[in-house]
Amino acid sequence: MSRPYIYTRMRESLRRWRREGHRVYYVVLLMLTVGSCTIEPPLHTVDPHVELVPPTVDLELEVLWDYLFHYDVEYEWEKEWWYGWDSRDEELFGKLGYTEPKAFEVRRYFTHDVPYGRHDAPLRDRIEGQVLQSRFDFGFWDILVWNEIYAPDGVQSIRLDENTTYEYVTAYTGQTMRTARYGNTLYTRSFYQPEELFAAYEEAIEINENLDGFTFDPERNVWVRRLEMLLHPLSYIYLPQLILHHNNVNGRKVTGVDGDGNLSGMARAVIMNTGVTTSDAITVNFSTRMKQDLSYKDGEQVDIVGAKLLTFGITNLNPGDLDTRAYDASYSKVLEADKDNRHYLDMRLVFNNGADSTIVFDVTDEVRRLFKGGVITVELDMDTVPIPNRGGGSGGSGMDAVVEDEEEEEWEFDM
């Protein structure tokens, strides 16, 4: 009888967009096959080593994210997204949705005869294309898979810690040189946003000499075992947009942006084996762009500042484990995990007198509500916003937003 083989096949399951499940994931199909000369060979003759031929990759992302809103109503983010996405946006910020991964990293941890045992240094494989051959010993294995991280600018933001412990891998990003002023007491600078990241983890995969768990496929004349692994998103897409009403009355008040924005209160890191984020909250820096004279509700012409950013999501939980069809229960878990946290969105605007000013919004409710990513919309009536100047001044009594000028003087005003 020939040596046992494990054929691992990854298939992206977004083509199977199900009305009932609505989960965004990739399917990793591990097909453990044993070739033979007879229809059902004697199992005691199996070689004590198993050779791995890892996976065929067929990945196609067809949606931006999967998300079901309250009361089982599908969340149609396109109806809330007024900023649009043109070729210049794609050039600046990349594709609006996720990008199809081209390669994967695999870590195989052999725990010998102990299921869920402690990890030693793993066997490391990189999968590109369809076939990679490796070996398995008989015993128990844990397998961690994630996509090869693609950085559009060639400088990767995500850092992976595989060496502090072999029990899990941590993904995190580093700090920028930009100050984080709002909603962050631990870190004084903002952090780079992560790239797109997906991962799957399977424990206690047993490969024994009796081939337990195998079934025989007479058409292929092989014993087959299948194991599905779901690669969930570990970084989530948010689309912030600032709607500027009455900005072009007797001349445009805000004439542009300096391209800088921040979202505070997001998780600094994620444990890739579990998808659970860490407890330390950070401010994520992102780039912005302003578009003028866009059509809004009821045909109103508005200016919109928009952006795309990726984060690891809410702290202290795995958003991918939350059931959007049981929204109330999931939202309660978000509130508990995020109870000591606030989320502030700030964008730096350029006014018609040349002054650069930062406008800040408390978007805590919006971020918690969209715990798997989505459109964050803030609206501002520019008739209520004073043009910043060196002398300072204030108007209104609202606390929802603050305009801050170059010399750190503030105006508070009603939204």
Side-chain angles (χ1 to χ4, degrees):
M1 186 178 81
S2 64
R3 177 174 300 176
Y5 290 86
I6 299 179
Y7 293 88
T8 310
R9 235 179 52 186
M10 292 184 178
R11 184 175 303 278
E12 202 294 305
S13 67
L14 290 172
R15 291 177 175 175
R16 298 180 297 164
W17 174 250
R18 303 184 302 255
R19 295 297 302 175
E20 297 181 358
H22 285 66
R23 302 293 297 269
V24 169
Y25 52 79
Y26 300 126
V27 173
V28 179
L29 184 60
L30 290 156
M31 296 192 304
L32 292 81
T33 67
V34 181
S36 64
C37 298
T38 61
I39 295 299
E40 297 190 24
L43 299 184
H44 68 273
T45 62
V46 175
D47 190 292
H49 293 281
V50 177
E51 188 171 336
L52 173 69
V53 182
T56 298
V57 181
D58 183 13
L59 303 176
E60 292 182 7
L61 280 156
E62 300 176 354
V63 296
L64 180 62
W65 50 72
D66 69 319
Y67 193 82
L68 294 181
F69 197 47
H70 208 179
Y71 304 120
D72 293 344
V73 177
E74 185 174 349
Y75 174 57
E76 298 180 275
W77 63 270
E78 298 94 336
K79 293 184 178 180
E80 299 182 8
W81 183 237
W82 296 94
Y83 174 81
W85 205 255
D86 57 31
S87 58
R88 180 58 176 163
D89 293 313
E90 187 158 340
E91 179 183 343
L92 292 172
F93 311 123
K95 184 180 176 181
L96 188 58
Y98 291 110
T99 302
E100 176 185 334
K102 300 298 184 182
F104 292 84
E105 294 286 340
V106 180
R107 300 295 181 265
R108 296 179 291 129
Y109 304 88
F110 184 47
T111 61
H112 301 276
D113 59 349
V114 180
Y116 306 100
R118 293 188 62 83
H119 291 172
D120 295 321
L123 300 176
R124 301 167 183 254
D125 298 305
R126 179 181 180 276
I127 298 172
E128 184 173 13
Q130 297 184 354
V131 176
L132 173 69
Q133 293 189 346
S134 299
R135 292 182 179 273
F136 280 76
D137 289 330
F138 288 114
F140 291 93
W141 292 82
D142 298 342
I143 299 178
L144 174 64
V145 182
W146 67 86
N147 62 298
E148 183 176 68
I149 299 167
Y150 170 70
D153 61 359
V155 181
Q156 181 175 313
S157 296
I158 289 181
R159 304 172 183 177
L160 300 178
D161 182 1
E162 299 189 59
N163 299 319
T164 298
T165 176
Y166 291 133
E167 298 307 309
Y168 53 84
V169 175
T170 304
Y172 63 99
T173 65
Q175 294 186 68
T176 71
M177 297 302 294
R178 300 182 181 274
T179 301
R181 294 186 178 93
Y182 310 103
N184 194 347
T185 58
L186 183 59
Y187 301 100
T188 59
R189 291 183 291 166
S190 62
F191 283 70
Y192 292 103
Q193 57 180 302
E195 292 85 5
E196 298 168 16
L197 182 64
F198 298 81
Y201 181 60
E202 188 73 25
E203 296 179 282
I205 300 171
E206 183 181 12
I207 302 173
N208 60 45
E209 297 184 9
N210 294 324
L211 299 183
D212 292 335
F214 286 72
T215 58
F216 187 72
D217 183 348
E219 293 184 4
R220 301 171 58 191
N221 196 31
V222 292
W223 291 87
V224 179
R225 177 184 171 187
R226 289 181 171 87
L227 172 67
E228 288 190 347
M229 299 175 65
L230 307 182
L231 275 78
H232 294 273
L234 298 185
S235 57
Y236 301 91
I237 298 175
Y238 286 91
L239 299 177
Q241 58 181 356
L242 168 59
I243 313 294
L244 301 178
H245 298 275
H246 308 133
N247 187 48
N248 193 20
V249 178
N250 299 321
R252 188 166 264 110
K253 185 176 286 187
V254 172
T255 57
V257 295
D258 79 342
D260 192 43
N262 294 284
L263 179 63
S264 70
M266 310 311 293
R268 184 191 179 197
V270 61
I271 306 302
M272 295 177 63
N273 304 59
T274 63
V276 176
T277 56
T278 56
S279 61
D280 47 340
I282 63 168
T283 296
V284 181
N285 182 257
F286 60 91
S287 298
T288 63
R289 181 190 175 201
M290 179 178 173
K291 295 180 181 178
Q292 300 175 347
D293 299 322
L294 296 181
S295 181
Y296 192 52
K297 299 175 183 177
D298 300 323
E300 179 190 2
Q301 293 294 298
V302 297
D303 295 345
I304 303 179
V305 180
K308 169 193 170 185
L309 74 144
L310 285 149
T311 82
F312 290 129
I314 300 290
T315 59
N316 298 306
L317 83 164
N318 178 0
D321 281 346
L322 301 180
D323 188 353
T324 51
R325 292 170 297 167
Y327 186 86
D328 286 340
S330 296
Y331 187 61
S332 296
K333 295 178 181 178
V334 172
L335 294 179
E336 177 62 26
D338 203 45
K339 63 182 179 181
D340 298 324
N341 205 6
R342 303 296 297 180
H343 303 277
Y344 294 96
L345 175 70
D346 70 78
M347 297 181 179
R348 195 158 185 83
L349 309 179
V350 178
F351 284 75
N352 58 18
N353 63 350
D356 292 333
S357 298
T358 300
I359 187 166
V360 188
F361 300 90
D362 186 333
V363 292
T364 302
D365 291 342
E366 289 81 356
V367 172
R368 289 173 175 174
R369 179 172 59 89
L370 301 171
F371 49 80
K372 290 187 179 181
V375 177
I376 300 175
T377 302
V378 288
E379 302 189 45
L380 190 59
D381 185 351
M382 293 306 297
D383 286 340
T384 68
V385 180
I387 296 177
N389 56 66
R390 297 286 195 272
S394 63
S397 59
M399 298 297 293
D400 290 330
V402 173
V403 168
E404 183 175 304
D405 74 357
E406 293 175 326
E407 296 185 359
E408 308 301 328
E409 297 188 29
E410 297 182 355
W411 288 268
E412 298 174 0
F413 56 91
D414 294 319
M415 293 288 293

